Amino acid sequence: MAEPLVPPEETPPVEGSTAEAHEERPDGGIWEHPRIWTWIILIGAVIFAGFFVARAISLM
């Protein structure tokens, strides 16, 4: 026997789920903010490169 069609604006019936709804996670802090890490890495790279530029200029 075929299942009755459900109109597009309605949610079809389900057989039932044994899974529980999972709780919303709190903000993961700095790990969920990649822009901060990007800026920290970028600033570190500029400082590191600046060290070598200063050494090269001081040797001239």
Side-chain angles (χ1 to χ4, degrees):
M1 190 168 164
E3 293 183 22
L5 295 176
V6 178
E9 60 274 347
E10 291 185 21
T11 306
V14 297
E15 294 179 6
S17 175
T18 58
E20 296 178 9
H22 54 276
E23 293 181 15
E24 191 73 25
R25 287 189 313 132
D27 183 28
I30 195 165
W31 300 110
E32 290 189 7
H33 301 286
R35 286 188 181 137
I36 293 173
W37 285 110
T38 302
W39 279 108
I40 290 173
I41 292 169
L42 185 64
I43 290 169
V46 168
I47 291 171
F48 191 73
F51 170 77
F52 288 101
V53 170
R55 288 281 311 250
I57 291 174
S58 71
L59 293 176
M60 290 183 171

